[in-house]
Amino acid sequence: MYLECRDLEKNKHRFYHLTVQSSLFGTFILTRTWGRIGSKRPRELHQEFADEETMVREVQRILPIRQRHGYLLIQDKQAAIPNFRTQPKVDRELLSR
């Protein structure tokens, strides 16, 4: 999930990004990345959860807090956020032409 908080009068341009990955050991890793939009060094926090239910509760706890601070949900699809850690999807149909 990708959230942004923008306030031109206060020169506030912030983002907050939540991603979930499963580990090789069957746990879930929630990664929170935040900072100023365009920043070269955003802050990052990784949390490991034994089960999906606990991880979902943590996300449900975080979202209202961010919304109270003025963040709006911009995109709910991770694929829309450029990320150097993921490989781009290849359109096999275009390759076969």
Side-chain angles (χ1 to χ4, degrees):
M1 293 181 193
Y2 183 78
L3 300 99
E4 283 187 1
C5 178
R6 293 178 183 254
D7 186 343
L8 297 176
E9 292 177 6
K10 295 180 181 177
N11 194 25
K12 188 189 297 187
H13 305 281
R14 299 179 185 165
F15 75 94
Y16 200 89
H17 190 201
L18 297 169
T19 57
V20 176
Q21 298 174 335
S22 56
S23 73
L24 295 173
F25 306 106
T27 61
F28 295 90
I29 299 171
L30 174 65
T31 302
R32 298 192 241 176
T33 309
W34 70 91
R36 185 171 173 85
I37 295 172
S39 171
K40 293 181 181 180
R41 293 185 190 204
R43 312 255 306 169
E44 199 167 77
L45 175 68
H46 304 279
Q47 287 181 280
E48 190 170 2
F49 297 92
D51 57 67
E52 186 176 7
E53 184 180 321
T54 308
M55 185 267 311
V56 169
R57 279 198 312 265
E58 179 67 8
V59 170
Q60 290 172 340
R61 185 190 72 78
I62 293 168
L63 286 178
I65 295 170
R66 294 294 104 205
Q67 290 171 335
R68 280 195 303 268
H69 286 271
Y71 285 82
L72 299 173
L73 183 63
I74 301 297
Q75 185 61 261
D76 199 16
K77 296 180 182 175
Q78 184 179 355
I81 308 300
N83 187 344
F84 65 90
R85 296 179 190 151
T86 59
Q87 295 294 325
K89 291 184 180 179
V90 176
D91 189 346
R92 300 286 179 201
E93 187 177 321
L94 287 175
L95 294 175
S96 63
R97 292 182 187 174

